């Protein structure tokens, strides 16, 4: 995700900005930039690539001035490039803005501004902000910013700087973090504490809907109507390393907890306001092609493959198109049957996995249309595919994929609904039901994350077993596969996932006294059948931990422990059922003293075959 810094004081702004951005590098980014006010004009310097490239570009010609803003960009709207990098300016270069998040109504605003004569240089949503400011400014910087904030929709943290108002930065946030660091004769702004911790531990943490006017002598916080807000100073007592992880012990845990926000970002702008339908503006295939698709391949590796399995279920059920889900390293060598009515969807968090990229190229060579579902703008897979739907999960740093999986599931569901809308294969009421269910998912994930103590206890109690089985039917089986991969990759426990109905065909021979079995039983359509399979393993004295919805009162009669997740539509419940499995894997790895974020033998991005 992008990083923001701001400085106002007596010191050299550029020095702090570059140092602060360096502290945010761990979050991942593809370009960087700074803007410094030299007392007369604003100088903007930006560069695609690493901060080192920006520093090289500046050389000894560092912008001079005591007020400035800076940014590391993780591309969303528009590929990584110098022009798309922040800070962005208005036509006259009087206002500059850095922004994290997404301005959902930017297209409408941009059209309106272009009609009024504003000239845009980038493909970003952010660029509407300085132009709006230019439009509303009549000598009162604060009033103009308030007007901008009233006009925009979406999620953001923003810092505004004006050439006409020396010594004053204005910032605001909605759904994205922003902190103000309180110094002596200087104040700081940052999207994350690591950027300021070397200078101060006294901070204000801004809340949604608040705006702060920051000068070197003080900070005034108010709501968008200008009514002052009293805020308590928050003393940061983490060390720098903990601060990078937002106070969490590991990136994996941080990313598990980021899922509500990540899912919100994935959904953002993709659902009609009245909840009646899905909108995927990025897809430009004509309806005739989508109506005529006869076969879909979903191709991916690891966790992304598991998301693809759920995608197969969604698309077949909703759009009534036959889908095959393939492991990428198998797909390219098995001579798949492809023609012009085939669509190949590749799923990849990094967009760089070589097996997936090679499979994508093979599908294209054979004449398939291709669609990438990925998290990284401008990645090799995003560039190679005909069309792209981004997951907008923000950078995932831990090797074990968590928020990438849930956001991939969301995209799969959106794709299923979108194709169903076009092919008229699902009643309108059912589409609305699912869309409305989807809107609740971020809050429901948050609720699932609240009750971790029982999971910690199970992890401690069973964390030293060498073998664990996961069972489930239908979508529960797909989730079981992901739960088992998560456990084995970070805790090194031998974990196997089985379709519960398949146990009796061989694997049941391995079920012995006290062996832990995680049974996922959220799917109502196969519930009774799953219960029978649970009874089979209980009869062999396995210890069973069940995963069920919180309205289930039956499962606890047959298993040793139950972990409950909020009730939702059975299509959506994988988004919730996977969360306790991620946590179980995490705490089992902790119990066993494993290096959670960097498991042995594994890499985050697998660029070898
Ligand atoms: O970047 P990708 O989604 O293409 O990566 C695919 C797999 O390598 C990845 O999901 C891997 O299985 C994770 N370590 C699982 O947590």
């Amino acid at each position: 995700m992008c990083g923001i810094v701001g400085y106002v004081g007596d010191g050299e702004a550029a020095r702090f900005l570059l140092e602060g951005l360096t502290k945010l590098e761990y979050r991942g980014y593809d370009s960087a930039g700074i803007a410094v006010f030299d007392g007369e004009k604003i100088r903007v310097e930006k560069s695609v690539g690493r901060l080192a490239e920006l520093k090289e570009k500046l050389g000894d010609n560092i912008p001079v001035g005591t007020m400035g803003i800076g940014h590391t960009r993780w591309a969303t709207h528009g590929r990584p490039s110098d022009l798309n990098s922040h800070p962005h300016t208005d036509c006259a270069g009087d206002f500059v803005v850095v922004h994290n998040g997404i301005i959902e109504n930017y297209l409408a605003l941009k059209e309106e501004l272009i009609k009024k004569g504003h000239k845009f240089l980038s493909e970003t949503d952010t660029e509407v902000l300085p132009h709006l400011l230019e439009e509303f400014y009549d000598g009162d910087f604060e009033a103009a910013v308030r007007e901008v904030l009233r006009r925009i929709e979406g999620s953001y943290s923003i810092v505004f700087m004006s050439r006409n108002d020396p010594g004053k930065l204005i910032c605001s946030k909605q759904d994205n973090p922003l902190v103000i660091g309180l110094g002596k004769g200087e104040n700081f702004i940052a999207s994350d504490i690591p950027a300021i911790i070397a200078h101060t531990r006294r901070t204000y943490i801004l809340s949604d809907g608040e705006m702060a006017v920051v000068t070197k002598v003080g900070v005034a916080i108010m709501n968008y109507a200008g009514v002052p807000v009293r805020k308590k100073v928050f003393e940061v007592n983490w060390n720098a390393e903990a601060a990078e992880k937002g106070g969490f012990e590991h990136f994996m845990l941080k990313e598990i907890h980021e899922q509500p926000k990540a899912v919100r970002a994935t959904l953002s702008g993709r659902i009609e306001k009245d909840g009646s339908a899905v909108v995927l503006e990025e897809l430009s295939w004509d309806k005739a092609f989508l109506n005529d698709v006869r076969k879909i391949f979903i191709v991916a590796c690891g966790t992304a493959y598991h998301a693809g399995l759920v995608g197969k279920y969604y698309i077949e059920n909703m759009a009534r198109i036959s889908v095959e889900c393939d492991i990428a390293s198998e797909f390219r060598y098995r001579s798949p049957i492809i023609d012009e009515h085939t669509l190949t969807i590749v799923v990849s968090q990094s967009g760089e996995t070589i097996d997936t990229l090679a499979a994508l190229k093979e599908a294209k060579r054979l004449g398939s249309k291709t669609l990438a579902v990925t998290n990284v703008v401008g990645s090799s897979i995003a560039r190679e595919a005909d069309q792209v739907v981004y997951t907008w999960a923000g950078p995932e740093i831990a090797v074990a994929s968590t928020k990438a999986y849930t956001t991939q599931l969301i995209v799969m569901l959106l794709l299923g609904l979108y194709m169903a809308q076009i092919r008229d294969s699902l009643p309108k009421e059912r589409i609305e039901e699912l869309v409305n269910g989807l809107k609740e998912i971020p809050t429901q994930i948050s609720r699932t994350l609240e009750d971790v103590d029982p999971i910690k206890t199970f992890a401690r109690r069973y964390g030293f077993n060498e073998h664990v089985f996961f069972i489930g039917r239908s979508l529960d089986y797909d989730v079981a596969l992901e739960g088992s991969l998560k456990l084995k990759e970070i805790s090194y426990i031998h974990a196997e996932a089985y379709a519960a109905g398949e146990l009796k065909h061989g694997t049941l021979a391995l079920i012995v006294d006290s062996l832990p079995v995680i049974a996922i039983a959220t799917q109502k359509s196969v519930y009774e059948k799953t219960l029978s399979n649970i009874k089979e393993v209980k009869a062999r004295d396995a210890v069973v931990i069940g995963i069920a919805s919180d309205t289930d009162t039956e499962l606890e009669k047959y298993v040793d422990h139950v972990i409950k997740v909020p009730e939702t539509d059975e299509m959506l419940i994988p988004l919730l059922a996977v969360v306790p499995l991620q946590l179980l894997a995490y705490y089992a790895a902790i119990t066993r003293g494993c290096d959670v974020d960097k498991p042995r033998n594994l890499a985050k991005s697998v660029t070898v075959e």
Side-chain angles (χ1 to χ4, degrees):
M1 220 167 0
C2 313
I4 281 182
V5 287
Y7 176 87
V8 54
D10 291 325
E12 276 176 47
R15 209 170 58 89
F16 166 76
L17 300 176
L18 292 169
E19 175 203 301
L21 292 177
T22 308
K23 295 285 191 305
L24 299 180
E25 278 196 295
Y26 70 94
R27 295 160 58 91
Y29 65 101
D30 48 56
S31 47
I34 57 172
V36 175
F37 178 63
D38 68 4
E40 241 182 72
K41 54 185 184 333
I42 293 170
R43 180 171 155 204
V44 179
E45 294 289 349
K46 41 198 198 177
S47 167
V48 70
R50 312 293 297 170
L51 265 172
E53 280 157 67
L54 176 65
K55 287 180 190 163
E56 198 183 307
K57 188 172 171 186
L58 293 174
D60 293 336
N61 187 17
I62 307 275
V64 178
T66 56
M67 173 171 87
I69 58 179
H71 193 262
T72 42
R73 176 171 186 252
W74 166 267
T76 57
H77 295 67
R79 73 204 152 80
S81 71
D82 284 2
L83 275 183
N84 286 335
S85 313
H86 301 210
H88 287 286
T89 62
D90 65 319
C91 301
D94 287 345
F95 303 101
V96 275
V97 173
V98 287
H99 158 234
N100 288 356
I102 295 173
I103 306 297
E104 284 172 15
N105 58 339
Y106 85 100
L107 275 178
L109 292 170
K110 192 168 174 175
E111 261 174 45
E112 188 183 315
L113 288 159
I114 288 172
K115 275 189 200 139
K116 290 186 171 155
H118 291 259
K119 298 260 177 306
F120 282 78
L121 303 176
S122 78
E123 304 158 275
T124 65
D125 52 339
T126 305
E127 205 184 351
V128 297
L129 299 169
H131 288 280
L132 281 173
L133 204 49
E134 182 178 28
E135 193 59 33
F136 298 137
Y137 187 79
D138 64 0
D140 186 340
F141 186 23
E142 287 174 45
V145 168
R146 263 198 294 278
E147 193 53 35
V148 173
L149 296 173
R150 272 196 285 268
R151 291 294 310 276
I152 58 175
E153 289 165 19
S155 62
Y156 50 80
S157 43
I158 311 174
V159 190
F160 302 89
M161 184 164 89
S162 159
R163 189 170 80 91
N164 306 310
D165 298 78
K168 188 188 275 185
L169 295 177
I170 303 184
C171 58
S172 180
K173 68 148 252 154
Q174 189 69 42
D175 294 329
N176 274 259
L178 203 62
V179 294
I180 299 168
L182 306 171
K184 291 203 175 85
E186 56 185 1
N187 285 311
F188 312 88
I189 301 173
S191 52
D192 257 316
I193 287 170
I196 56 172
I197 206 167
H199 298 271
T200 181
R201 288 176 174 272
R202 300 183 69 239
T203 64
Y204 286 134
I205 312 277
L206 273 200
S207 302
D208 285 350
E210 288 175 352
M211 155 178 158
V213 179
V214 184
T215 65
K216 70 174 185 178
V217 290
V219 177
I221 302 178
M222 61 208 76
N223 65 19
Y224 292 176
V227 179
V229 173
R230 282 168 68 96
K231 257 204 138 55
K232 269 180 128 174
V233 171
F234 174 73
E235 289 275 351
V236 179
N237 52 15
W238 314 322
N239 60 28
E241 199 201 330
E244 282 189 3
K245 295 174 187 142
F248 289 98
E249 211 180 321
H250 294 96
F251 282 113
M252 180 182 176
L253 193 58
K254 176 172 180 264
E255 285 158 10
I256 289 174
H257 281 265
E258 278 172 354
Q259 288 179 109
K261 187 176 155 220
V263 165
R264 259 186 212 109
T266 317
L267 288 173
S268 168
R270 288 169 169 168
I271 289 180
E272 286 288 8
K273 283 222 167 61
D274 62 1
S276 62
V278 162
V279 194
L280 286 176
E281 273 172 0
E282 53 271 74
L283 292 188
S284 57
W285 277 306
D286 55 24
K287 291 192 174 164
F289 166 69
L290 288 173
N291 257 323
D292 225 20
V293 171
R294 293 187 199 147
K295 178 81 178 204
I296 293 180
F297 288 99
I298 302 181
V299 185
C301 304
T303 288
Y305 168 70
H306 295 155
L309 290 171
V310 178
K312 167 182 160 69
Y313 188 94
Y314 288 162
I315 294 171
E316 287 191 338
N317 267 267
M318 296 174 195
R320 306 307 295 159
I321 309 171
S322 158
V323 182
E324 277 186 56
C325 189
D326 268 66
I327 292 168
S329 54
E330 294 294 323
F331 175 83
R332 57 183 296 211
Y333 297 113
R334 78 170 176 88
S335 188
I337 299 166
I338 284 178
D339 61 21
E340 71 275 19
H341 300 292
T342 309
L343 171 64
T344 303
I345 304 175
V346 292
V347 188
S348 172
Q349 187 284 131
S350 62
E352 299 297 344
T353 301
I354 202 79
D355 287 325
T356 312
L357 181 61
L360 165 61
K361 288 182 177 165
E362 177 65 2
K364 269 177 98 171
R365 191 185 68 79
L366 294 170
S368 175
K369 293 272 189 309
T370 56
L371 167 67
V373 175
T374 183
N375 195 28
V376 182
V377 177
S379 58
S380 305
I381 286 174
R383 279 183 278 122
E384 185 69 32
D386 298 329
Q387 310 227 355
V388 188
V389 178
Y390 289 107
T391 49
W392 304 141
E396 196 179 60
I397 292 165
V399 166
S401 214
T402 52
K403 61 177 179 171
Y405 175 78
T406 36
T407 54
Q408 284 161 357
L409 253 51
I410 295 279
V411 169
M412 288 299 161
L413 200 95
L414 294 174
L415 280 172
L417 288 167
Y418 177 79
M419 290 185 203
Q421 284 165 200
I422 287 177
R423 297 165 70 95
D424 213 4
S425 53
L426 209 57
K428 223 175 152 326
E429 302 70 46
R430 180 68 182 134
I431 293 178
E432 274 175 27
E433 208 169 74
L434 285 165
V435 165
N436 286 319
L438 260 179
K439 288 202 237 161
E440 299 303 315
I441 291 293
T443 316
Q444 290 180 318
I445 297 180
S446 299
R447 270 174 51 207
T448 311
L449 287 166
E450 276 163 16
D451 196 17
V452 291
D453 285 346
I455 299 174
K456 282 188 192 168
T457 310
F458 301 143
R460 261 184 238 122
R461 196 177 304 166
Y462 303 113
F464 287 101
N465 276 70
E466 282 315 311
H467 308 279
V468 174
F469 283 87
F470 288 74
I471 59 170
R473 282 171 175 256
S474 181
L475 284 172
D476 285 336
Y477 170 50
D478 298 336
V479 173
L481 285 164
E482 176 55 10
S484 133
L485 175 64
K486 222 71 320 166
L487 188 69
K488 68 185 124 193
E489 75 173 322
I490 57 165
S491 75
Y492 317 145
I493 294 172
H494 169 228
E496 297 277 355
Y498 278 95
E502 185 66 9
L503 282 179
K504 55 187 175 295
H505 298 290
T507 315
L508 204 52
L510 295 175
I511 306 293
V512 291
D513 188 5
S514 305
L515 182 89
V517 174
I518 319 282
I520 304 149
T522 68
Q523 295 296 302
K524 296 201 175 78
S525 48
V526 287
Y527 187 78
E528 291 304 326
K529 302 278 177 204
T530 309
L531 265 192
S532 305
N533 301 132
I534 290 173
K535 287 177 196 164
E536 284 165 11
V537 296
K538 268 315 293 170
R540 273 89 189 166
D541 293 321
V543 179
V544 180
I545 301 175
I547 310 281
S549 90
D550 59 10
T551 52
D552 184 318
T553 50
E554 194 61 13
L555 191 62
E556 55 216 49
K557 298 180 192 155
Y558 304 100
V559 301
D560 299 274
H561 317 279
V562 186
I563 299 172
K564 299 230 170 142
V565 296
E567 170 71 7
T568 179
D569 195 285
E570 69 175 353
M571 287 272 204
L572 306 181
I573 211 160
L575 289 154
L576 307 178
V578 75
V579 176
L581 303 186
Q582 296 167 340
L583 289 167
L584 199 61
Y586 174 79
Y587 287 111
I590 296 291
T591 303
R592 294 164 73 93
C594 300
D595 185 350
V596 174
D597 283 336
K598 293 197 185 70
R600 69 183 178 210
N601 308 337
L602 300 178
K604 180 67 185 160
S605 189
V606 186
T607 51
V608 288
E609 253 199 272

